[in-house]
Amino acid sequence: MDALATDTLEAARRLVGARLVRGSGPNARIGRIVEVEAYIGRTDMASHARSGPTRRNATMFGPPGHAYVYLVYGMYHCLNVVTEPDNKPAAVLIRAVEPLAGIEEMRLARSERLAARGTGRGRSEATPGSAAAPRPSDARLASGPGLVCVVFSITRADDGVDLCDPASDLRLEQASEGDDLGDDAGENLIVATGPRIGIDYAPEPWLSNAWRFFVPGSPSLSGRNRAHPVIGRKR
DNA sequence: GCAAAGATTTGCT
DNA sequence: GCAAATCTTTGCC
């Protein structure tokens, strides 16, 4: 992955269609990134960098290509790809991934997390009448920033990892023509833009800036029944 | 030093 | 559609 040191909006657009990979060999988990958001500089009032460097966001101020992983709402992790040169805090949040390989490993990671601690309200107590949660489709396994980290087993331990190093257990790769995973990261990929999600606390123009990039129509986009209006098409 | 909210997800009302 | 789970960081006293 190159060009991560350049303009963050350009980097975000290029990350859509790229692959997120965990591990190697037959058990490797591979997914195609279908939704991202850009967080740019200390002036971005929606960015964690708005209040300067802290223990949590230190990686954002470091070199590009590394993973910035943080804990949100005390229960979910979120993965970002650091962009821009050293000392310029910026990153691209990976919001949704379309699973391509290692599906069973991903399901295993999800179930392990559920076993560790119930999720959401009213966990366990084995409600007699309630049915078990329905099995999500493959496409919905990583349909949100928190879920991406769940199925790829990403935690704060991955903070700072060089995602561009082929030797990293967690890394970014371009779609290769050799395999037949069937994804497309080429010039033909359509990328739409829209405002970022979950930043209602931010003032304008940050609230409405179209700094979210996604593959329109992808079944793996974030949100339960969230609409993903196509505001603009690029590439 | 303490209160409040957050780049989320889920199940129940 | 709403509230809960859960903990780090931020803002105010």
Side-chain angles (χ1 to χ4, degrees), chain A residues 96-228:
Chain A
V97 165
E98 174 189 334
L100 296 176
I103 307 290
E104 291 312 310
E105 304 295 326
M106 294 180 184
R107 290 192 180 279
L108 181 62
R110 258 182 90 128
S111 60
E112 281 178 349
R113 183 189 178 287
L114 280 173
R117 51 172 118 149
T119 176
R121 176 180 145 177
R123 51 200 180 207
S124 60
E125 286 281 330
T127 346
S130 66
R135 194 174 195 252
S137 66
D138 289 355
R140 304 297 300 165
L141 284 176
S143 57
L147 295 176
V148 168
C149 288
V150 168
V151 304
F152 281 89
S153 304
I154 298 168
T155 67
R156 272 291 277 178
D158 295 295
D159 186 65
V161 165
D162 186 356
L163 295 170
C164 297
D165 183 352
S168 293
D169 193 64
L170 181 69
R171 60 196 181 278
L172 292 167
E173 292 180 2
Q174 284 293 354
S176 51
E177 301 175 17
D179 56 46
D180 61 342
L181 293 180
D183 53 334
D184 178 17
E187 298 294 315
N188 297 326
L189 186 65
I190 294 175
V191 179
T193 65
R196 293 173 292 180
I197 292 170
I199 57 162
D200 292 343
Y201 57 87
E204 296 289 2
W206 319 113
L207 179 60
S208 299
N209 278 345
W211 286 357
R212 184 166 63 104
F213 300 79
F214 59 99
V215 179
S218 169
S220 302
L221 293 180
S222 71
R224 212 150 121 194
N225 293 305
R226 181 181 298 143
H228 289 272

Side-chain angles (χ1 to χ4, degrees), chain A residues 22 35 58 65 81 121 153 186:
Chain A
R22 165 66 89 182
E35 183 181 349
V81 180
R121 176 180 145 177
S153 304

